[in-house]
Amino acid sequence: MLRLKLLLLLMTHQMVMFSATWPAAVHRLAQEYMDLNPVKVVIGSEDLAANHDVMQIVEDLDERARYERLTAFKFSLHWLNRMGSI
């Protein structure tokens, strides 16, 4: 089901993938559907142990909402970085 959704969105949408872990299956999805030179942000360790305090959320947004959400996300990352939290 996920692969079908990715195929339908591939040509018309910008994609951002988040994973609490980076198992082989997620890595293969990223290689198959993402840009050839993706940005990978690692917070903490690259160990494959899942952190049960992390919640994954899928957001299906229209173009305007996507831009606003991505802008807010980048702004929050900027301030977390300036505060030394990441």
Side-chain angles (χ1 to χ4, degrees):
M1 185 66 155
L2 177 60
R3 287 184 182 278
L4 177 60
K5 180 97 173 167
L6 288 173
L7 284 172
L8 293 172
L9 297 176
L10 187 60
M11 300 307 286
T12 59
H13 291 75
Q14 176 180 358
M15 270 196 262
V16 180
M17 289 181 73
F18 295 91
S19 177
T21 60
W22 196 248
V26 173
H27 186 78
R28 282 191 302 275
L29 276 174
Q31 285 181 319
E32 190 172 340
Y33 294 102
M34 303 298 282
D35 188 273
L36 295 176
N37 297 307
V39 174
K40 180 179 175 184
V41 177
V42 177
I43 299 172
S45 173
E46 288 197 64
D47 293 338
L48 293 180
N51 181 340
H52 297 288
D53 294 331
V54 174
M55 177 176 48
Q56 288 185 258
I57 300 170
V58 175
E59 296 181 79
D60 188 5
L61 306 169
D62 65 31
E63 187 171 336
R64 179 187 168 110
R66 181 184 73 228
Y67 177 79
E68 292 171 357
R69 178 70 177 100
L70 186 57
T71 301
F73 178 72
K74 290 190 313 187
F75 182 77
S76 67
L77 285 179
H78 170 76
W79 282 106
L80 286 171
N81 186 42
R82 288 187 57 119
M83 293 170 42
S85 298
I86 57 172

